[in-house]
Every structure is written in C-alpha cells, then in structure tokens.
Amino acid sequence: MSQPVITQPTASLYIDGAFVEGRGASLPVLFPFDGSLIATLHEASTTQVADAVAAAERAQPAWAALAPVERGRVLQRAAAIIRERNADLSMLETLDTGKPIQETLVADWESGAAALEYFGGLAATLTGQMIPLGRDWVYTIREPLGVCAGIGAWNYPSQIACWKAAPALVMGNAMVFKPSEETPLGALKLAEILTEAGLPAGIFNVVQGRGAVGAALTGDARVAKISLTGSVPTGQRVYAAAAEGLRHVTLELGGKSPLIVFDDASLDDAVGAAMMANFYSSGQVCSNGTRVFLQSGIRDAFLDRLAARVASVRIGDPRDPDTQFGPIISPGQAASIRAAIAAGQAEGARLVAGGPGEGAFVPPTVFADATDDMALAREEIFGPVLTALGFETEDEVIARANATQFGLAAGVFTRDLARAHRVVARLQAGTCWINAYNLTPVEAPFGGVKMSGLGRENSAAAIEHYSQLKSVYVGMGAVDAPY
Ligand code: NDP
C-alpha cells in the first residue's frame, strides 16, 4: 500500500531557497469533491512579497552568468524528478483541484515535465546573430529580463507554474510565482523539486495570496516582466500595472472558442473532440471549444451521438481511477456555472443533456438551438457547458466564429483538407486545430489574439517573451568623422 499523500506543506511560501511561513491572512485549502480541509496556508505579507522579489533580484545575475547548458541541466533534472514522482504529485494535484486522477496522471505534471525538458534542451540553442556589414559587423546577444513574476489560474496550477518557470529560468531570469489562492500546493512542490535539481536559492520563489498579493507583486518596480494566466478583467489590470513602467507582459486569458463541424466530418471523431473540448477538467479549460457550430446535414446525428456518449460519462470521486469527470473547483464557480445554465434556459436554448446538478457537481451539459446573441454563446462560462449552434455555409460560419471579443483557439472538423486550411487561415485565433482539439504540446506556440491575450507560451517562441536583444556594432577600421 502506498502512503497517503501529505497535503500540508512545510510552510506556505518559498523564498530564497527555503520554506517560510506567510505572515498574512489564513488561506484554507479545500478538496473540491467534499469541501474537506486538506491544508491551511497563510498569505504573504506585503513585506514578504518584497523579500521574494529582493531574493530573486540578488540571485539572478549569477544564474544568468552560467553557461546556458548548465541552466538547462537543472531543468532537465527537475523534469526527471517530476516523472519519478508523478503518481504522488498527481494525487496532490487531484486533491488541490478536484480533477480526476486519470487526468492529472497524464496531463498536469506530465505537461510541466515536458516543458522543463523541452526548455532545458533548448538551452544550447540560445544564440545571437552575426550580421555582416562589409568591413564592420553587428552581433546580437539575447539577454534575460531580470526578475519575472508568474501568476497562475486554478485549473492547471502545476502545469502553469512549469510553463512559466521553464522558459524564464532557462533564459537566466529569476521568478516569483503566485499561484491561485484556490490551488496553492503544486507550485511549492515545483520549488522544492527545482532546489533538489540544483537550482540556486532565490531563482524560483513562491508567494501565496489572493488578488491583492498578485497586485503587490505586479506593482513592484523591480519586476521586469509579468506572465499571467487568468481572466480578461485581471489581464487588463495586470497590463495597466505593467504599462506604468513599460514592463513586459504575457497574458493568457479567457475564450469562447468555436469548434466547426462540417457535414463531411468523421462523426465519432468530431463528437469525441467536442466532448474533450468541453468536459475535460469539468470544462474548466481556457481554450475550450464551447461554441460548437454544426452544419445542417450533420446536426441531428451529431447531437444524438453526443447525448448518448454524455450519458455514459462516469462522474464521481476524482481519486477513483475509474472517474472521468470530477467536481467544480469551488462553490462560487459552481454557482456561476449554474447561473449561466439558468440564463441559457431562460433565453430559450434547448437543454439536450445535463443541467445545473447539485453540490460540487455540474454534469456535462449540452444546449442546442442556441443563437449567437444569447449570453450562452457569447460569455465564457468556464464550466462543462457546450453550446451547439447551426450553420449552412463556410463563409457564414467563419464570420460568426470570428464575431467575438475573444480569439484564443478554434477547431475545424472536415475530411476536405483544402477547406480545413482555407477556414483556419481566416479564423481569428491564436491556436487552431484541424480534426483535433485541445492538444497543446510544448513544441507548439500557445496563446491568444484579441481579448484572449498577448504573447505566446511554449515552443522556442516563448524565449522571445523572456528575453530582450542587445545589438553590438563592431567597428573594424578608422572612424570617419566629418569634423
Ligand atoms: P483570475 O483572473 O480570477 O485569477 C488569475 C490569477 O490572478 C489568480 O492567481 C488571481 O489571484 C490573480 N489576481 C487577481 N487579481 C489580481 C491583480 N489585480 N493583480 C495580479 N494578480 C491578480 O482567473 P481564475 O483563476 O478564475 O482563472 C480562470 C480564468 O483564467 C478564465 O478566464 C480562463 O479562461 C483563464 N485561463 C486562461 C488560460 C490560458 O492559457 N489562456 C488557461 C487557464 C485559465 P486569486 O485567484 O488568488 O484571486
């Protein structure tokens, strides 16, 4: 029998290579399935946020002075440790988020380890350019920004921490990370693991707290870059705070992404993808394809097949390996999803499956016969609510898919690949899938357009968002002055 996972961390914060107890308000951590208390943490005081930034600022120059491959090795060792401990880390993630263990075992820390491995491997490629000018020449140096702040949402807490830390650290930056108050545990594990892998003290720090702690962090003038995963309103506040000092930002925000299914699509694949695009992590995924546009010839068959498959989803205790669908993160979020479902019914959309549910659970819910003007089809619900909309032509569906303030993701299902490429070329979204949905390998850039965000995470493109270029002009001869 394996030991139960210890949920109470050594202390609430991780500053300068050591656990430190927070001096701010108490932060109870609840298991979303039954509301039981699994840990009690304390927020960082304003002074402790400043201490974390100071520790990062002190440690960063020596870290940046290492050869990039040395930094890369630390990240790769951390990836290996995560993989060795994946079972325990995944159970901790399940307790912190309420997501089914069958998901956390394959999607959360695994994706975090992939990011540490990928960026660790990229270390040796972080070179500049040599630009010949005849006699003279220019070379460029890609330099770190300094102290970066990372702020995470609660749906993929450990993955988000790794996705932000890996490119930041490999570039020679230091980071102060603030997890969501709902899910504070994974980032502390990452801090411990990075230290064990050889990361110097002060390079990755964790402060806990509610929005005010995030605001203290983003307001600190010593922070050169802020990377936020969160909602649009928080993104706007963070962008405004960063603007004051012309500081760098990456914003990974919300969406209301379209998933377009043409008549010639493989029915089972499209239905499966629509379910993955709406019900994975109980629908609490930013890139979800929540507006499912069905061409008129496939609509009825699609909805019948979808309703049948939704009926067989196993809902229950997320610790049970057979459970496919868990609770919502918090009572507040469940209430907000229920309000959206009630509004959908009041607006006249037809409920095909699911409904408000009870307690911590909102079941997989499907609305059909919705129209574009309904709140159901316009606002991000951040829960397991799929809204099906009908369409007739390609031009029509592209215009309607794009008629939103968001632009995080989009998907197209068709066997006609010329059409698939033609459609994605016209979709306003940072990430598009053809005959697939919600796959976000670390090799591919990820991020949004319009109100869904700025900058990109993952892939070599992320390095650009954690570095700046210095140009060095080298004069090779006499200086030709006209005076
Ligand atoms: P929030 O915007 O409420 O919070 C995000 C983070 O910002 C939290 O850590 C929060 O702290 C913190 N925060 C709140 N106010 C401030 C502030 N003024 N300054 C700095 N930090 C602040 O988002 P949720 O946690 O509710 O996450 C859900 C949202 O995140 C959805 O809109 C979803 O689409 C989006 N998201 C986007 C993803 C992407 O990659 N594009 C991925 C995942 C989610 P606290 O929670 O402690 O208040």
Side-chain angles (χ1 to χ4, degrees), residues 451-475:
M451 295 296 273
S452 290
L454 289 173
R456 292 293 176 267
E457 296 202 292
N458 289 345
S459 80
I463 292 294
E464 287 165 32
H465 301 290
Y466 285 101
S467 61
Q468 54 202 348
L469 279 181
K470 176 181 279 174
S471 291
V472 182
Y473 187 107
V474 183

Short mmCIF file of all heavy atoms in Angstrom, two decimals, residues 451-475:
data_model
loop_
_atom_site.label_atom_id
_atom_site.label_comp_id
_atom_site.label_asym_id
_atom_site.label_seq_id
_atom_site.Cartn_x
_atom_site.Cartn_y
_atom_site.Cartn_z
N MET A 451 -8.99 39.82 -27.31
CA MET A 451 -9.00 39.94 -25.84
C MET A 451 -8.52 38.67 -25.14
O MET A 451 -8.51 38.61 -23.91
CB MET A 451 -10.42 40.28 -25.36
CG MET A 451 -10.93 41.62 -25.80
SD MET A 451 -9.97 42.98 -25.11
CE MET A 451 -10.81 43.21 -23.54
N SER A 452 -8.13 37.66 -25.88
CA SER A 452 -7.65 36.43 -25.24
C SER A 452 -6.19 36.49 -24.84
O SER A 452 -5.70 35.56 -24.20
CB SER A 452 -7.89 35.23 -26.14
OG SER A 452 -9.27 34.95 -26.23
N GLY A 453 -5.49 37.57 -25.21
CA GLY A 453 -4.15 37.67 -24.65
C GLY A 453 -3.08 38.21 -25.56
O GLY A 453 -3.34 38.59 -26.71
N LEU A 454 -1.90 38.19 -25.01
CA LEU A 454 -0.71 38.73 -25.67
C LEU A 454 0.45 37.79 -25.41
O LEU A 454 0.59 37.29 -24.29
CB LEU A 454 -0.30 40.05 -25.00
CG LEU A 454 -1.16 41.28 -25.21
CD1 LEU A 454 -0.64 42.40 -24.32
CD2 LEU A 454 -1.10 41.71 -26.67
N GLY A 455 1.29 37.62 -26.40
CA GLY A 455 2.47 36.79 -26.20
C GLY A 455 2.14 35.32 -26.40
O GLY A 455 0.99 34.95 -26.63
N ARG A 456 3.16 34.50 -26.34
CA ARG A 456 2.99 33.06 -26.55
C ARG A 456 3.74 32.30 -25.48
O ARG A 456 4.84 32.69 -25.07
CB ARG A 456 3.54 32.64 -27.93
CG ARG A 456 2.71 33.19 -29.09
CD ARG A 456 1.32 32.57 -29.14
NE ARG A 456 0.47 33.12 -30.17
CZ ARG A 456 -0.40 34.14 -29.99
NH1 ARG A 456 -0.50 34.74 -28.80
NH2 ARG A 456 -1.17 34.55 -30.96
N GLU A 457 3.14 31.20 -25.04
CA GLU A 457 3.85 30.28 -24.17
C GLU A 457 4.25 29.07 -25.01
O GLU A 457 3.77 28.87 -26.13
CB GLU A 457 2.94 29.84 -23.01
CG GLU A 457 2.59 31.03 -22.12
CD GLU A 457 2.15 30.67 -20.72
OE1 GLU A 457 1.08 30.07 -20.59
OE2 GLU A 457 2.89 31.00 -19.77
N ASN A 458 5.16 28.28 -24.46
CA ASN A 458 5.64 27.05 -25.12
C ASN A 458 6.40 27.37 -26.42
O ASN A 458 6.33 28.47 -26.94
CB ASN A 458 4.50 26.09 -25.41
CG ASN A 458 3.97 25.46 -24.12
OD1 ASN A 458 4.63 25.53 -23.10
ND2 ASN A 458 2.81 24.85 -24.17
N SER A 459 7.13 26.39 -26.89
CA SER A 459 7.92 26.45 -28.12
C SER A 459 9.05 27.48 -27.98
O SER A 459 9.10 28.24 -27.01
CB SER A 459 7.04 26.82 -29.33
OG SER A 459 6.82 28.22 -29.37
N ALA A 460 9.89 27.53 -29.00
CA ALA A 460 11.00 28.49 -28.97
C ALA A 460 10.48 29.92 -28.93
O ALA A 460 11.16 30.83 -28.44
CB ALA A 460 11.88 28.28 -30.19
N ALA A 461 9.24 30.13 -29.39
CA ALA A 461 8.68 31.49 -29.39
C ALA A 461 8.60 32.05 -27.96
O ALA A 461 8.68 33.27 -27.77
CB ALA A 461 7.29 31.48 -30.03
N ALA A 462 8.43 31.20 -26.96
CA ALA A 462 8.30 31.70 -25.58
C ALA A 462 9.58 32.38 -25.11
O ALA A 462 9.54 33.29 -24.28
CB ALA A 462 7.94 30.55 -24.64
N ILE A 463 10.73 31.95 -25.66
CA ILE A 463 12.00 32.54 -25.26
C ILE A 463 12.01 34.04 -25.54
O ILE A 463 12.54 34.84 -24.75
CB ILE A 463 13.16 31.83 -26.01
CG1 ILE A 463 13.30 30.38 -25.52
CG2 ILE A 463 14.48 32.59 -25.86
CD1 ILE A 463 13.73 30.23 -24.07
N GLU A 464 11.39 34.41 -26.66
CA GLU A 464 11.36 35.85 -27.01
C GLU A 464 10.64 36.66 -25.95
O GLU A 464 10.90 37.85 -25.78
CB GLU A 464 10.65 36.05 -28.35
CG GLU A 464 11.49 35.59 -29.51
CD GLU A 464 10.68 35.43 -30.78
OE1 GLU A 464 9.72 36.19 -30.97
OE2 GLU A 464 11.02 34.52 -31.56
N HIS A 465 9.72 36.04 -25.26
CA HIS A 465 8.94 36.77 -24.26
C HIS A 465 9.62 36.79 -22.89
O HIS A 465 9.08 37.36 -21.93
CB HIS A 465 7.54 36.19 -24.16
CG HIS A 465 6.80 36.25 -25.47
ND1 HIS A 465 6.38 37.44 -26.01
CD2 HIS A 465 6.48 35.29 -26.36
CE1 HIS A 465 5.79 37.19 -27.18
NE2 HIS A 465 5.84 35.91 -27.42
N TYR A 466 10.75 36.13 -22.77
CA TYR A 466 11.51 36.16 -21.50
C TYR A 466 12.92 36.69 -21.72
O TYR A 466 13.83 36.40 -20.95
CB TYR A 466 11.56 34.77 -20.87
CG TYR A 466 10.24 34.38 -20.24
CD1 TYR A 466 9.35 33.53 -20.87
CD2 TYR A 466 9.86 34.91 -19.00
CE1 TYR A 466 8.14 33.20 -20.30
CE2 TYR A 466 8.65 34.59 -18.41
CZ TYR A 466 7.79 33.73 -19.08
OH TYR A 466 6.58 33.41 -18.50
N SER A 467 13.09 37.43 -22.81
CA SER A 467 14.43 37.93 -23.11
C SER A 467 14.33 39.21 -23.92
O SER A 467 13.25 39.57 -24.40
CB SER A 467 15.21 36.88 -23.91
OG SER A 467 14.57 36.62 -25.15
N GLN A 468 15.45 39.90 -24.04
CA GLN A 468 15.50 41.06 -24.93
C GLN A 468 16.82 41.01 -25.70
O GLN A 468 17.78 40.39 -25.25
CB GLN A 468 15.36 42.36 -24.15
CG GLN A 468 16.35 42.52 -23.03
CD GLN A 468 15.88 43.51 -21.98
OE1 GLN A 468 14.92 44.23 -22.18
NE2 GLN A 468 16.55 43.54 -20.84
N LEU A 469 16.83 41.66 -26.85
CA LEU A 469 18.01 41.59 -27.69
C LEU A 469 18.89 42.81 -27.49
O LEU A 469 18.41 43.95 -27.46
CB LEU A 469 17.60 41.55 -29.17
CG LEU A 469 17.17 40.22 -29.74
CD1 LEU A 469 16.82 40.38 -31.22
CD2 LEU A 469 18.26 39.16 -29.58
N LYS A 470 20.18 42.57 -27.37
CA LYS A 470 21.15 43.66 -27.40
C LYS A 470 21.89 43.57 -28.73
O LYS A 470 22.35 42.49 -29.11
CB LYS A 470 22.14 43.50 -26.23
CG LYS A 470 23.24 44.53 -26.23
CD LYS A 470 24.19 44.30 -25.06
CE LYS A 470 23.62 44.89 -23.77
NZ LYS A 470 24.45 44.56 -22.60
N SER A 471 22.01 44.71 -29.43
CA SER A 471 22.79 44.75 -30.67
C SER A 471 24.15 45.37 -30.38
O SER A 471 24.21 46.41 -29.73
CB SER A 471 22.11 45.63 -31.72
OG SER A 471 20.93 45.02 -32.15
N VAL A 472 25.17 44.73 -30.85
CA VAL A 472 26.52 45.26 -30.64
C VAL A 472 27.14 45.55 -32.01
O VAL A 472 27.37 44.64 -32.80
CB VAL A 472 27.40 44.24 -29.87
CG1 VAL A 472 28.78 44.82 -29.62
CG2 VAL A 472 26.73 43.83 -28.57
N TYR A 473 27.38 46.83 -32.30
CA TYR A 473 28.00 47.23 -33.56
C TYR A 473 29.52 47.20 -33.35
O TYR A 473 30.04 47.83 -32.43
CB TYR A 473 27.54 48.63 -33.95
CG TYR A 473 28.01 49.06 -35.33
CD1 TYR A 473 27.12 49.13 -36.40
CD2 TYR A 473 29.35 49.39 -35.56
CE1 TYR A 473 27.54 49.50 -37.66
CE2 TYR A 473 29.79 49.75 -36.81
CZ TYR A 473 28.88 49.81 -37.87
OH TYR A 473 29.31 50.17 -39.12
N VAL A 474 30.22 46.51 -34.20
CA VAL A 474 31.68 46.41 -34.05
C VAL A 474 32.35 47.15 -35.22
O VAL A 474 32.23 46.74 -36.37
CB VAL A 474 32.13 44.94 -34.04
CG1 VAL A 474 33.64 44.85 -33.81
CG2 VAL A 474 31.37 44.15 -32.97
N GLY A 475 33.02 48.26 -34.89
CA GLY A 475 33.76 48.98 -35.91
C GLY A 475 35.12 48.33 -36.11
O GLY A 475 35.84 48.08 -35.15
#
